[in-house]
Amino acid sequence: MPDLNAIPGMTALRSQTKGDPRIKIAVLDGPIDLDIVCFQSANITRLDPY
């Protein structure tokens, strides 16, 4: 796993919040097939690109 503290601004962000381990974020490079079993019970929000 990369050193997350090497990301610009990460140290400042972490000083403001401890985060919530229940929240997971994924960045995908295309649409996903929500019919795949692993996504069927997931709470997924699709954001349109700007």
Side-chain angles (χ1 to χ4, degrees), residues 8-36:
M10 182 60 74
T11 303
L13 177 63
R14 285 186 167 169
S15 71
Q16 296 177 26
T17 180
K18 293 183 180 181
D20 186 329
R22 296 172 295 174
I23 297 174
K24 308 289 188 249
I25 297 174
V27 178
L28 305 172
D29 63 354
I32 61 170
D33 182 355
L34 295 175
D35 293 328
I36 296 175

